[in-house]
Amino acid sequence: MKKHLKNKIFHIIKDIAETENLQVFVIGGYVRDLIMKRPSKDIDLVVVGNGILLAKKVAEQLKGKPKVTIFKKFGTAMFKYKDFEYEFVGARKESYSSNSRKPAVEKGTIKDDQNRRDLTINALAISLNPKNFGELIDPFGGVQDIENKVIRTPLDPNITFSDDPLRMMRAIRFACQLNFEIFPLTLKAIQQNKERINIISQERITDELNKIILSKKPSKGFKILDKTELLEIIFPELTNLKGVETIDGMSHKDNFLHTLQVLDNISKHTNNLWLRWAAIFHDIAKPATKRFSKHGWTFHSHEFVGKKMIPKIFKKMRLPMNEKMIYVQKLVLLHLRPIALVKTEVTDSAVRRLLFEAGNDTEDLMTLAKADITSKNERKVKQFLINLENVREKLKDVEEKDKIRNWQPPITGEIIMKTFNLKPSKEIGNIKDAIREAILDGIIQNNYDEAYSFMIKEGKKRGYRI
Ligand code: CTP
């Protein structure tokens, strides 16, 4: 591995380690990513001895002397230097109590430190010591597991997961991110220890979930979460979508698998986490709205109910209850609209309404609508895609002509009050709404003059004088 340690810092560390008589190793994700040729910006260093002291000495020798941040309680220190983040930790032997994640820390050897790590691929270390600089220390066959694309714990998985249950999520997240398979015994242990996830903070669980969602093919992670029954604990609203019901020979699709398909589809076109979340949520209210009539299965208003379900789930998952949530809600509410347009004759007024409601998120809505087409009938899919493309063209034409996307009312409430000598009241809003509707319906153009004339007529109709 010597030739891979090009970073000058590694040599500085080696020299200091020698004079200070310390043993130092690069460990964890950086080594894994080095072997896998993935970019990595976090460099973890394990020191058999005092990590804080070493961090300080290294920083002193670097240009600009980066500021060392010390976490005394954990015996760790870190600094940032040229795009990289270096973290120095004393080698530890850890034991955990069963009802807490806070380990009782004891000093240990490099082997002890590797033992206590989550996965074999994350337990690899490279020596920075003069006598074997660059030597790979791989006690658990981590390199072999990288080659075989296997996720496995260094110790008995029941110990590793019970020690820190977040690692169950991490194992699944890495399997999804790297497209690896989880070793059968490791997988079994996740299922056996699933309840232990309850001692982990929601923020950390959601963090891992977001990483799964941002993977190339997120369905892989969700399917493992489901198989191990973790999903039912952390996201029951999603597992509720599972299953197919048949009455009188009529079935509906499995909305869980459909949702995962939509999520994979959308992930090919966007890295926007919130657009991917919108895909996850788009049919979330289908179980709540499911009905059977003689014509078959219906899920009336699932888009409205879905929009309403979102805040509670966001809150529980500690997702941000800000404009991101409002964006997800908006897309869920509108997700059927482009397809509904496809099914009818595409009128200018319907297109204007969609532009008005979707505003700057119109393209994202179209991306979601496209991802939502998952029929097995290829002919049907092809036709839908062509029709959706027509809608896209029409949206572009109407937007160019009418500028509805960032619609601002051409007539303000002030103007209405002044013209008819009215005091602030509900009626002002009603007149404004009437003007907006007339523009959206194409009765008048989206400009001041036409809107003004319309306002005069509308006011007179309501008995007001100029
Ligand atoms: N680690 C662990 N158990 C955890 C978290 C981390 O054993 N619950 C160890 C692993 O050896 C891991 C290292 O700490 O490689 C660094 O953790 P972290 O920075 O969270 O993960 P990375 O492996 O670097 O990967 P990523 O940056 O993608 O999270």
Side-chain angles (χ1 to χ4, degrees):
M1 298 304 296
K2 203 167 172 174
K3 68 176 192 303
H4 296 292
L5 298 180
K6 287 191 192 111
N7 191 332
K8 236 172 61 191
I9 280 199
F10 293 136
H11 294 269
I12 295 175
I13 294 173
K14 177 187 81 175
D15 294 341
I16 298 173
E18 189 168 20
T19 33
E20 297 294 325
N21 198 21
L22 299 167
Q23 280 183 53
V24 191
F25 304 84
V26 202
I27 197 158
Y30 183 77
V31 181
R32 175 199 70 224
D33 290 340
L34 200 66
I35 292 168
M36 295 187 71
K37 301 191 172 62
R38 293 170 89 227
S40 176
K41 295 277 174 209
D42 293 337
I43 303 185
D44 291 332
L45 298 137
V46 164
V47 187
V48 181
N50 190 329
I52 296 175
L53 176 90
L54 180 66
K56 281 185 184 163
K57 297 232 165 186
V58 175
E60 242 166 57
Q61 292 205 14
L62 298 174
K63 221 166 130 190
K65 296 196 171 54
K67 184 178 170 291
V68 181
T69 311
I70 295 167
F71 305 95
K72 225 173 177 170
K73 210 168 118 198
F74 301 103
T76 67
M78 63 85 59
F79 60 74
K80 286 188 183 147
Y81 186 67
K82 287 190 180 169
D83 277 358
F84 286 92
E85 218 173 275
Y86 296 85
E87 186 163 351
F88 294 74
V89 189
R92 310 181 259 195
K93 205 197 267 185
E94 279 179 2
S95 55
Y96 293 72
S97 61
S98 64
N99 56 0
S100 145
R101 274 207 68 257
K102 305 246 166 5
V105 179
E106 227 182 278
K107 281 188 181 147
T109 62
I110 179 69
K111 181 78 206 297
D112 292 331
D113 198 282
Q114 286 174 300
N115 271 334
R116 69 166 194 93
R117 296 199 172 244
D118 58 350
L119 304 170
T120 59
I121 62 167
N122 289 343
L124 295 159
I126 299 176
S127 165
L128 297 185
N129 305 307
K131 74 172 190 331
N132 58 350
F133 184 82
E135 186 184 305
L136 184 73
I137 302 156
D138 178 13
F140 312 106
V143 172
Q144 192 69 48
D145 283 348
I146 289 177
E147 273 167 23
N148 296 337
K149 294 178 167 266
V150 171
I151 297 292
R152 203 156 48 107
T153 54
L155 305 179
D156 173 347
N158 288 302
I159 297 172
T160 304
F161 293 144
S162 167
D163 276 355
D164 177 1
L166 183 73
R167 291 169 167 174
M168 301 189 284
M169 292 288 300
R170 282 174 60 90
I172 297 171
R173 185 256 290 188
F174 279 111
C176 185
Q177 274 183 331
L178 305 175
N179 194 19
F180 280 23
E181 300 309 318
I182 302 182
F183 189 67
L185 282 179
T186 307
L187 196 69
K188 197 167 155 211
I190 297 181
Q191 192 175 8
Q192 281 168 349
N193 290 280
K194 62 178 181 181
E195 296 294 342
R196 295 270 293 156
I197 200 69
N198 289 319
I199 67 163
I200 300 295
S201 78
Q202 185 60 49
E203 285 81 355
R204 300 181 79 209
I205 294 172
T206 298
D207 221 34
E208 292 300 326
L209 203 55
N210 280 339
K211 286 181 182 172
I212 290 173
I213 295 168
L214 283 173
S215 304
K216 201 165 162 208
K217 195 175 175 209
S219 67
K220 177 164 181 153
F222 278 98
K223 283 181 184 166
I224 310 175
L225 283 171
D226 181 43
K227 192 171 173 186
T228 53
E229 295 164 13
L230 271 174
L231 194 61
E232 218 176 301
I233 301 174
I234 64 168
F235 199 173
E237 297 82 358
L238 196 62
T239 50
N240 256 348
L241 295 176
K242 278 167 62 174
V244 176
E245 222 179 311
T246 307
I247 297 182
D248 296 343
M250 283 186 270
S251 315
H252 60 78
K253 61 186 163 201
D254 181 314
N255 287 305
F256 177 67
L257 295 177
H258 164 72
T259 295
L260 295 187
Q261 177 72 57
V262 177
L263 177 59
D264 281 352
N265 288 350
I266 213 160
S267 301
K268 289 185 193 132
H269 301 285
T270 181
N271 289 324
N272 174 350
L273 175 66
W274 306 106
L275 185 48
R276 291 186 180 200
W277 266 112
I280 294 170
F281 278 118
H282 82 286
D283 278 347
I284 203 76
K286 277 204 166 168
T289 55
K290 185 163 107 171
R291 303 278 179 277
F292 183 78
S293 74
K294 59 181 186 296
H295 305 297
W297 294 98
T298 64
F299 304 91
H300 286 312
S301 302
H302 73 272
E303 69 279 26
F304 294 101
V305 180
K307 180 198 160 192
K308 285 202 172 144
M309 283 171 72
I310 289 171
K312 202 169 154 199
I313 303 175
F314 259 59
K315 189 165 182 213
K316 187 183 71 179
M317 290 216 175
R318 300 276 192 279
L319 286 163
M321 298 188 70
N322 56 17
E323 75 285 348
K324 306 287 185 214
M325 182 182 85
I326 293 166
Y327 165 85
V328 174
Q329 284 187 293
K330 178 173 165 185
L331 290 173
V332 170
L333 177 68
L334 298 177
H335 79 272
L336 297 170
R337 295 281 291 279
I339 290 290
L341 270 187
V342 163
K343 285 182 181 159
T344 55
E345 194 202 338
V346 191
T347 62
D348 276 15
S349 86
V351 170
R352 258 184 242 111
R353 276 181 192 283
L354 188 55
L355 281 167
F356 174 69
E357 285 174 59
N360 281 338
D361 302 316
T362 305
E363 263 98 55
D364 290 353
L365 180 65
M366 292 302 286
T367 307
L368 177 59
K370 194 171 166 186
D372 198 10
I373 302 170
T374 63
S375 164
K376 284 203 176 71
N377 181 337
E378 272 185 43
R379 202 176 47 82
K380 226 163 130 183
V381 170
K382 224 171 169 178
Q383 195 53 50
F384 262 131
L385 290 178
I386 292 171
N387 293 350
L388 213 51
E389 220 29 64
N390 290 340
V391 172
R392 202 190 285 275
E393 283 296 311
K394 192 98 193 199
L395 283 164
K396 221 172 101 197
D397 291 349
V398 173
E399 174 56 21
E400 266 167 26
K401 196 159 56 100
D402 297 350
K403 304 269 177 296
I404 295 290
R405 258 164 81 139
N406 287 313
W407 196 76
Q408 293 295 332
I411 298 292
T412 61
E414 293 283 302
I415 298 174
I416 300 170
M417 288 192 283
K418 229 172 161 178
T419 311
F420 298 111
N421 199 15
L422 292 173
K423 295 224 151 46
S425 69
K426 208 170 152 228
E427 264 303 84
I428 313 300
N430 292 342
I431 296 175
K432 265 174 89 176
D433 286 352
I435 299 170
R436 186 196 63 215
E437 290 301 299
I439 292 172
L440 292 176
D441 283 338
I443 296 165
I444 58 168
Q445 294 282 310
N446 182 21
N447 63 45
Y448 180 84
D449 288 347
E450 292 205 19
Y452 189 83
S453 309
F454 185 86
M455 172 197 73
I456 300 286
K457 269 195 244 156
E458 190 63 26
K460 282 186 178 165
K461 217 164 73 187
R462 289 162 189 258
Y464 304 124
R465 289 172 183 217
I466 310 177

